Amino acid sequence: MNNILEVKNLKKTFHTKDGEIQALENVSFELKDQEFVSIIGPSGCGKSTILSILANLEPKSSGTINIKDKKIGYMLQQDSLFEWKTVLENCMLGLELEKKATKENKEKVIKLLETYGLKDFINEYPNHLSGGMRQRVALIRTLATTPDILLLDEALSALDYQSRLAISDDIYKIMKKEKKTVIMVTHDIAEAISMSDRIIVLSKRPAIVKKIYDINLSNKSTPIENRKCKEFSILYDKIWRDLDVHI
Amino acid sequence: MSTYSKEHKLYLQKQKKEKRLVTISRLMIVILFLVIWELLSKYNVINSFLSSRPSEVLKTIITLWQENTLFMHIGITIYEVLLSFAIATIIGFVVATILWRYEILAKIIDPFLTILNSLPKVALGPLIIIWVGASINSIIFMSLLISTFITIITIYQGFKKTPTTYITLLKTMNANNIQIFTKAVLPSNIPTILNALKINISMSLIGVIMGELLVSKSGLGYLIMYGSQVFNINMVITGVVILGIISYIMYFLVEYLENYIKRKRGL
Ligand SMILES: Nc1ncnc2c1ncn2[C@@H]1O[C@H](COP(=O)(O)OP(=O)(O)OP(=O)(O)O)[C@@H](O)[C@H]1O
Ligand SMILES: [Mg+2]
């Protein structure tokens, strides 16, 4: 398989009134088509920054990024649902901006909402939703514009453990079914191992790539099942030590 | 809605009762105030020549009505207020939008806006008459001076405080500036804009009356000015009372609009 995304020697310094903050020191990695890659690293090390640069929200300081004509969908750390729009209207936002809010597309979005347990809330306003529901709406809003590469920033962090497991299974299935390529930022080592093909471990700020793990679980299936694999705890241990604050 | 539980019905009943109590109490206060005022001046506890009395005010209103000038005065004042309100709203909205789009411009003119807004506009009265002439234009000009700057400032402050996550989200979807404005800045600021309209309508009324006190041949401000010049306190108080009623109705209308929009947006 060929790479659809290549990041080389990416460097980022933020300039503010109070001075400069170097967020990324030197980050390189590549992404193959339909791969599921997790980025894990200490809080504030620059994970969101990488996604922001990939999504063209922030300029990079130096380095090269090669994206092969692919559409990027970004699910932000905050759900940012518009409180004055219904669930359906929120999910139509991207399509509206692209002037593709056709009847067929609307049907597709409704179908997505129904499939992911939001059938009864399609015409509700976001302030009537639980945290988990909001997160799912945000995901569907991102999927609605059918991006090729999905950037998920702590997509599940707002959820309780139960829904988190269930939704990580859901997300994984959707991504595989829709043949998406995914970069997921997370704090959760277990989540990263259970869902990813590869894990990129970052150092403390300013971030460099500390290690990249290929996840080859012996009988790989869904994220929940993957947690039962015998390699799971060994990997968990290794990554845990990589992240150790004392190192 | 017969499906409500007994408890919920009791709750609704209590709400209704409370609402009725508020309405009745308000009416009682007005009536009590009028009766005491009437009695105090009738028994000469207060000087009815200087402080008028409700029955005299009523008589004055009837006289004005019979002379066919009552609604002319009211109409002119309302016309001027609405005209000034409309112009100030448009200018305020457009300028606030430009300032939001070009932040550097906002930074540059910030102190000038503050000075213009806090300057006591009455001080400019004589100048306005000289510049604009002793006509309705002066009244509108005075009113705009009072209402426009605060409208610009209020709307712009709201635009500036649009949550950045909304804007970031739209940027992830490759939205352009116009889309960011129409999809996030404007809809998230509907409450701010309604608030600006409330301030604007009050300021326009103040401005118009101030203008009418300076130059005019009609309107409620004129009525008050003329009344005081010929020492007809009844006429002055009548003008003030009608003004009070008008300002309440205007405020009520904007608030009605506010509630209507809130309900429509499911808030
Ligand atoms: N717009 C900005 N201006 C200035 N500094 C910024 C900006 N965005 C991020 N930073 C700084 O860059 C560093 C990395 O931020 P980033 O949000 O990428 O971290 P993160 O790894 O996503 O953290 P978390 O796990 O808490 O979400 C932080 O120190 C942060 O303060
Ligand atoms: Mg982050």
Side-chain angles (χ1 to χ4, degrees), chain A residues 39-50:
Chain A
I39 297 180
I40 201 163
S43 189
C45 74
K47 302 181 293 294
S48 298
T49 304
I50 296 177

Side-chain angles (χ1 to χ4, degrees), chain A residues 44 47-49 77 153-154 185:
Chain A
K47 302 181 293 294
S48 298
T49 304
Q77 203 161 353
D153 197 349
E154 310 259 6
V185 162

Side-chain angles (χ1 to χ4, degrees), chain B residues 149-176:
Chain B
F149 303 113
I150 188 69
T151 308
I152 295 174
I153 292 171
T154 310
I155 297 180
Y156 172 65
Q157 295 290 356
F159 284 177
K160 214 170 73 171
K161 282 199 203 108
T162 307
T164 48
T165 62
Y166 290 161
I167 295 173
T168 311
L169 172 78
L170 288 171
K171 282 184 179 162
T172 68
M173 298 172 163
N174 298 313
N176 58 34

